[in-house]
Amino acid sequence: MHGRGRVELQWWGSDIGQFAASELADYVKSMTGTRIHTSRVPAPSDKPGTAHSGIFLARGHVDRTKRARWISTANEKLDSKPDDTYIIQSAAGHVVLTGAGERGTLNAVYSLLEQLGVHFFAPEFAFYQGNSERVPRKSRCVVRAQSTLVEPKWPIRRKDVEEGFSLSKGHIVALVDWMAKHKLNYLVFPYDYYAIGVTRYDDFREVLAPELAKRGIKMEVGGHGYDSFLPPEKYPQFYTSDASVFDVQNQDAVDTYVSNVVDYLADRPEIATFDCWPPDGGTWPKAALSKYGTATNAETVVVNALVAALKKAGISTRVERIAYAAALEPPTGSYEFDPDVLIDFAAIGRTYTVPFGDPSNETNAKFAKLLKKWIFLHQGDVAIYDYSRRYRWRGLGNPIDVIAADAAYYHKVGAQGTESYAEAGNWLQFEAEHLFTAQSAWNPTLSADEFRSDYLPARFGRGAHDVARYLGHTSADPDQLGADGGGTKFRRQYRAALSDIVAAQHAVGRNRSAQNILGLLKSGVHLSLADIDITYEADNPKRLERAQRRYRVLTEKYRFSGIQLECTYQTKRYGFTLGREETAQRYRSPAWGYLREWSLTCRAGESTPLVVVAQPVDFDRHRIRWELDLPDAITSSRASGRLDIIGSRAEHAPCRITVGPNVPAGTYTIGVTFYEVGDRNGGTKLGTDEATLTVV
């Protein structure tokens, strides 16, 4: 479809069809500066199996008879196709975009936009500063003649919030938007991760539900563990002294757990799948294991009871359970899971030094054998719970070639889908991996080379070759860092990766978007090298201390820039404990503040510098007030002040701490409190920090 003249966009269907039409119109306007005239028309047919949602584009007057004929042709092609299949038909001055199920039309829209040169690299997280997508400017959009029909190779394509340390409500909306653009169809969210009230679905539900609904993305909720719905402090009679899992032999206990879950799901009809898991690392009552034989067999009692109760209540929510840890093996004897249950296979102990299906590795070979056993024995779907972005890897690892081989293997043996983690805090550092896992979820036979040949030139232009080398140099399994010689090997590889990024920066020249991303990736490599040096210098106390200090300084500096997730997995590397609540508080605040020096030494009667720092989190404009809390006889050149931050730039307030001449030797604490100052209030408290002052 090309040429001049007014283009008419007609859409039919539900709210998802309307959203698809608005997305197409908005992106075309961004590309050309011209707004397409949009209108709603009646559905062309209400027959079963037809496209109840779609978009028709035509230049000039729309002939209804021709439109009906073109749409009828699309309907015939969609007959018996799986949900999310989409069609793009273009010829003779018209375009038809439609698909199977409501998401099919939206999939067609985003696919067409990609044909027109739009690239959806990442969610529009604030730290991308407008560089999450590439939308070309052009005088007109030319749609090539085609009759394209594309089916998903996997029905289950997910992103998993998991611990959700760094996901704010703004982040979650951006994530859902990006998921739709890459045809992912499930968002996995914890009911209440570890039951500590930090990452809970209900806290995000009001924001999430409408964003998911208008894109047709399904909600999966649950996770570890049974105790969230049967807390031992409320139901002590259902627990034994030798286990953390409730007594599954006790029918009253099972019935109470099931009833509580059913009530929860009845009040939340948007939840399509419920994850029914025991506590993480949970121990089972010895008597139950003796009766049922295995933990997996015992799980069938709970899971099947929940499935039956949901069916009886008329609730369509599917039940999922995880093959994991002590319950990794399939059930034995007469025990089996209901065929409607989704089994997620979680090979937590596997290695990423080689692909999952590589028989040369004994550990992976055992997991592969178990996966095939599950697929053979379970009468329902088996999908993959993936660990390629596991938390303990911190800022290391980019095993895209291994992930590609894994996806092809999973598809070959009959798995029905996969999922991967979705932390925002270090998304930019692993943008390529997130993008590949999304694309391979739609097409698990996509090779790593095919992905790189498309993504890297679009993202980095002339720097594509150098960034490919960078990805290769950072691809090693981070679990190997602690192996013999691991520090030396990783140091060499990441130093080479740093050279790759510098070369890419020279190659891209004035490509501002590429330079912005490369600049952050370069800082990410410096972070990784500091992390690696903590292992490399482990036998040299002075150098180890310097490496730890450098890692902490860089972590605090870049924690909101998309290249470092500051959480307990990182901070324990330099001996600092950061709880889950504290981590979430940082990332869900609009701005944050800290003391750059966390340990000071000074003589009585002398002074030492201290710097107060205010950082943007949402990269908006904020006015931050800070107040120091000082011990007696210890003063500061500035006890309070104001810092104005905007965009990505942190602001600093240098102070001079003076210790009175009569202050006894010892250890003292200097505290600081930060407030966001509003126009109509005294300030909203953001957080606190402290430094240790040793007087000698």
Side-chain angles (χ1 to χ4, degrees), residues 345-372:
F345 186 82
I348 191 170
R350 65 154 298 182
T351 178
Y352 282 83
T353 56
V354 297
F356 184 84
D358 188 335
S360 68
N361 183 274
E362 183 178 349
T363 300
N364 283 8
K366 289 180 180 179
F367 281 123
K369 184 178 180 180
L370 275 176
L371 172 61
K372 288 189 283 189

Side-chain angles (χ1 to χ4, degrees), residues 45-342:
S45 173
D46 59 0
K47 295 180 181 179
T50 58
H52 296 292
S53 171
I55 291 172
F56 183 83
L57 286 161
R59 191 175 62 254
H61 174 69
V62 177
D63 184 301
R64 293 185 180 181
T65 302
K66 289 183 178 180
R67 182 185 70 195
R69 185 171 67 250
W70 289 325
I71 294 172
S72 176
T73 300
N75 278 332
E76 291 175 4
K77 293 180 179 180
L78 287 172
D79 186 40
S80 301
K81 296 299 181 184
D83 275 0
D84 298 343
T85 300
Y86 66 88
I87 283 180
I88 303 175
Q89 288 187 171
S90 175
H94 79 274
V95 178
V96 175
L97 305 172
T98 189
E102 291 286 4
R103 285 186 306 274
T105 298
L106 192 57
N107 291 343
V109 164
Y110 290 133
S111 182
L112 177 63
L113 289 171
E114 288 173 336
Q115 289 185 17
L116 295 173
V118 178
H119 287 269
F120 307 112
F121 297 123
E124 199 172 348
F125 295 144
F127 50 73
Y128 271 100
Q129 300 182 80
N131 295 303
S132 62
E133 298 181 353
R134 191 186 80 176
V135 182
R137 297 303 301 269
K138 51 181 66 181
S139 59
R140 59 178 181 160
C141 293
V142 178
V143 180
R144 61 179 172 83
Q146 61 186 292
S147 181
T148 301
L149 184 148
V150 183
E151 300 178 39
K153 293 186 177 180
W154 267 341
I156 301 169
R157 309 178 301 278
R158 299 172 290 183
K159 267 296 185 183
D160 186 354
V161 166
E162 185 61 5
E163 299 208 26
F165 286 133
S166 58
L167 282 169
S168 65
K169 291 180 180 179
H171 284 144
I172 204 71
V173 172
L175 173 64
V176 168
D177 181 67
W178 178 85
M179 286 175 59
K181 289 168 178 172
H182 289 284
K183 308 175 186 68
L184 300 173
N185 59 349
Y186 284 89
L187 176 67
V188 185
F189 210 102
Y191 162 76
D192 181 0
Y193 199 88
Y194 278 142
I196 57 175
V198 174
T199 305
R200 300 190 309 173
Y201 171 63
D202 280 0
D203 293 338
F204 288 79
R205 185 187 179 207
E206 185 177 354
V207 171
L208 262 178
E211 297 296 332
L212 292 168
K214 71 182 180 182
R215 295 171 175 86
I217 296 175
K218 297 178 182 179
M219 192 70 239
E220 181 175 337
V221 174
H224 299 297
Y226 299 155
D227 49 323
S228 292
F229 290 89
L230 203 69
E233 60 273 15
K234 185 176 180 180
Y235 300 99
Q237 71 273 26
F238 295 148
Y239 287 83
T240 61
S241 60
D242 65 339
S244 60
V245 178
F246 72 85
D247 185 5
V248 296
Q249 294 183 96
N250 185 328
Q251 191 60 48
D252 287 342
V254 174
D255 290 345
T256 303
Y257 167 78
V258 167
S259 177
N260 289 344
V261 174
V262 170
D263 288 346
Y264 174 81
L265 294 174
D267 290 338
R268 295 160 183 81
E270 75 278 6
I271 297 177
T273 302
F274 177 77
D275 297 347
C276 180
W277 300 2
D280 196 4
T283 53
W284 291 79
K286 292 180 181 178
L289 291 178
S290 177
K291 177 179 179 179
Y292 298 116
T294 70
T296 305
N297 291 350
E299 276 196 52
T300 66
V301 175
V302 180
V303 172
N304 290 345
L306 178 58
V307 172
L310 289 171
K311 290 178 180 178
K312 184 177 180 180
I315 297 173
S316 61
T317 302
R318 186 182 199 182
V319 177
E320 178 266 10
R321 63 81 60 182
I322 190 168
Y324 168 81
L328 184 65
E329 293 268 0
T332 60
S334 61
Y335 296 100
E336 61 182 6
F337 288 99
D338 187 290
D340 289 336
V341 172
L342 169 64

Side-chain angles (χ1 to χ4, degrees), residues 38 52 89 109 322 326 427 606 652 682 694:
T38 303
H52 296 292
Q89 288 187 171
V109 164
I322 190 168
W427 189 289
E606 297 182 0
H652 306 74
T694 302

Side-chain angles (χ1 to χ4, degrees), residues 401-462:
D401 287 272
V402 171
I403 298 169
D406 288 351
Y409 178 84
Y410 298 145
H411 181 254
K412 179 181 178 181
V413 299
Q416 294 299 302
T418 188
E419 70 177 85
S420 57
Y421 292 165
E423 284 286 355
N426 57 5
W427 189 289
L428 190 149
Q429 177 85 343
F430 301 107
E431 175 185 288
E433 185 177 329
H434 284 295
L435 191 57
F436 178 78
T437 55
Q439 292 184 6
S440 68
W442 178 265
N443 175 18
T445 62
L446 176 70
S447 74
D449 285 340
E450 288 173 319
F451 166 75
R452 284 187 288 258
S453 67
D454 176 68
Y455 163 65
L456 293 177
R459 188 50 146 163
F460 299 104
R462 294 179 179 178

